[in-house]
Amino acid sequence: MDTEDGADSGSSSGGNMTTVSQHTFGDKFDKPAFTISIIENMKEEYGLFVWPCSVILAEYVWQQRLRFSGVSVLELGAGTCLPGLVAAKLGLDVTLTDDSNKLEVLDNMRRVCDLNQLNCKVLGLTWGVWDESIFTLKPKLILGADVLYDASAFDDLFATVTCLLQNSPGSVFITTYHNRSGHHLIEFLMLKWGLKCVKLIDVFSFMPPNKASGLSGNIQLAEIVLISE
């Protein structure tokens, strides 16, 4: 069961309301395996809100937990980082990243890790910026929830994904996204950066009914790898 019943945890000095949402995961509706708490701010930028694509990707990580056992994980554009936190809850080595300039989002990521008593690395990583840190990252599983929303950032995103995949042979990038009008641009840029989609899933095919009922729109999940693999 996934619930997003925010419990009011107070207002910030700027009058922005902060809430804590609860997200549960498990094979049995009445006996969840664990719950993740997320600090959200409804009046702040996109990175401080749990979007449906994040809920979907987190559920996929849970359902594919045996497949991903023991791998290192990196989440791009993590924001409230629900997928990455699920991976950490499963005992995986997780690095959570978001734009280096979004200091408030990065700080919130650290608070959420502390709230859930999870030891994740939090790193500022701006897509298309080639600082030393990106070349030291070698994740086997790269996650990105709703990172394909701003067409002007697609090229930098795929450049960064390609770099990470090249750093770690055999790795995969899994993303959930709304199938908007930019689909042809996505296909073009994937080809440009030497990427291919090896699995494209309608998310309603695997989401539990109680979670699927709160979703709308054409949302897909894609698994992407290097063409050379």
Side-chain angles (χ1 to χ4, degrees):
M1 179 178 66
D2 179 85
T3 59
E4 295 190 26
D5 298 324
D8 183 8
S9 61
S11 302
S12 70
S13 58
N16 294 324
M17 187 63 68
T18 298
T19 63
V20 177
S21 58
Q22 306 291 328
H23 305 264
T24 59
F25 298 84
D27 295 327
K28 294 183 179 180
F29 181 84
D30 57 342
K31 293 183 179 180
F34 57 82
T35 300
I36 300 290
S37 300
I38 300 292
I39 303 169
E40 301 184 66
N41 194 315
M42 304 296 288
K43 295 184 179 180
E44 281 292 348
E45 58 183 298
Y46 296 130
L48 295 174
F49 180 75
V50 179
W51 296 97
C53 283
S54 183
V55 174
I56 293 165
L57 187 54
E59 178 65 26
Y60 191 71
V61 171
W62 161 254
Q63 292 189 18
Q64 297 288 313
R65 59 194 180 278
L66 297 180
R67 172 188 171 193
F68 298 135
S69 178
V71 305
S72 56
V73 179
L74 182 141
E75 185 174 0
L76 291 170
T80 51
C81 50
L82 182 59
L85 293 175
V86 170
K89 197 73 174 179
L90 294 171
L92 304 183
D93 179 34
V94 176
T95 300
L96 305 169
T97 73
D98 211 308
D99 192 321
S100 301
N101 299 311
K102 295 182 178 179
L103 300 182
E104 185 172 4
V105 173
L106 294 169
D107 286 343
N108 192 65
M109 289 160 64
R110 295 184 183 95
R111 288 194 294 270
V112 169
C113 289
D114 290 342
L115 178 63
N116 291 281
Q117 298 181 318
L118 293 171
N119 185 23
C120 301
K121 294 181 284 292
V122 175
L123 177 68
L125 192 159
T126 303
W127 304 338
V129 175
W130 310 109
D131 57 23
E132 183 179 354
S133 63
I134 192 170
F135 297 103
T136 63
L137 298 169
K138 301 181 186 298
K140 284 297 182 183
L141 174 59
I142 304 162
L143 302 173
D146 210 9
V147 291
L148 293 166
Y149 65 89
D150 179 3
S152 66
F154 287 2
D155 201 37
D156 285 338
L157 170 64
F158 283 123
T160 300
V161 168
T162 298
C163 179
L164 293 168
L165 292 173
Q166 289 174 338
N167 286 353
S168 185
S171 54
V172 60
F173 171 51
I174 303 181
T175 181
T176 46
Y177 64 98
H178 288 270
N179 191 3
R180 304 181 178 98
S181 58
H183 191 69
H184 293 298
L185 176 60
I186 293 171
E187 292 178 339
F188 169 78
L189 290 174
M190 283 177 55
L191 186 61
K192 171 186 174 181
W193 289 104
L195 303 172
K196 63 181 178 182
C197 179
V198 293
K199 189 179 292 186
L200 188 64
I201 303 173
D202 180 345
V203 302
F204 290 97
S205 68
F206 68 83
M207 289 296 288
N210 60 300
K211 293 189 179 185
S213 63
L215 302 175
S216 62
N218 184 6
I219 305 175
Q220 294 181 314
L221 179 144
E223 296 198 11
I224 296 168
V225 300
L226 295 171
I227 288 177
S228 58
E229 295 187 352

